Amino acid sequence: MSYAITVNGVARTVDVDGDTPTLWVLRDVLGMTGTKFGCGMALCGACTIHLDGKPVRSCITAISAAAGKRITTIEAIGATATGRKIQQAWIDLEVPQCGYCQSGQIMSATALLAAKPKPSDADIDAAMSGNICRCGTYARIREGIKHAAHVVTSDKKGA
């Protein structure tokens, strides 16, 4: 069956079964490999994308459920002001170690700051709890989010 989807602002039509995970449509059909496969059960967060601005696990989200919604992937998150701040904070603080989980971490962190520009530690913990980092860079991830939140908040004060 054909599904009309919008990925990173571009309208696309994909011819796949409706129960095909969005992750595999992105990676195998559209060739967008920034979104990573981790566990296939929505437990690790490596496959996190945004559907209409909300973080979801693309490994368990059927393409039929994503049709008609705005899909944003790591390839385009830097086009948003908050996404740019998160990416810059990751660079400034050298957050990644191996980097495999980082696209999912960045997608979850961006959604958090878009919803709560000044998150508390508890907010960060709740938003990031489903993202696993095998290298254990949780302290750097938290600092990256705080750094980006400070920059986001500072920018809004001057606006």
Side-chain angles (χ1 to χ4, degrees):
M1 184 167 200
S2 291
Y3 291 90
I5 59 174
T6 302
V7 181
N8 300 332
V10 178
R12 308 272 195 132
T13 301
V14 293
D15 188 22
V16 295
D17 290 334
D19 62 352
T20 303
T22 301
L23 172 66
W24 299 120
V25 172
L26 293 170
R27 291 183 61 82
D28 294 346
V29 176
L30 300 178
M32 301 175 72
T33 58
T35 304
K36 303 299 183 198
F37 173 77
C39 66
M41 299 181 294
L43 300 173
C44 73
C47 68
T48 303
I49 61 170
H50 293 177
L51 283 185
D52 288 341
K54 305 287 185 223
V56 300
R57 305 301 192 245
S58 64
C59 70
I60 62 161
T61 303
I63 195 64
S64 59
K69 296 184 172 127
R70 292 174 293 111
I71 299 169
T72 305
T73 68
I74 191 67
E75 287 89 350
I77 201 65
T80 69
T82 304
R84 276 191 303 279
K85 304 290 187 205
I86 289 287
Q87 288 177 330
Q88 190 59 54
W90 257 232
I91 292 167
D92 291 348
L93 301 179
E94 298 178 353
V95 170
Q97 186 165 319
C98 84
Y100 194 83
C101 70
Q102 294 305 309
S103 60
Q105 302 280 0
I106 288 169
M107 296 302 289
S108 292
T110 300
L112 168 63
L113 288 189
K116 275 197 167 181
K118 295 174 85 172
S120 66
D121 285 348
D123 295 331
I124 294 170
D125 290 347
M128 303 305 290
S129 67
N131 290 80
I132 296 172
C133 175
R134 288 178 50 160
C135 300
T137 64
Y138 299 112
R140 293 195 311 242
I141 290 166
R142 176 188 298 266
E143 289 309 308
I145 292 168
K146 288 180 176 184
H147 180 74
H150 174 72
V151 172
V152 169
T153 304
S154 296
D155 284 354
K156 288 184 179 180
K157 285 180 185 173

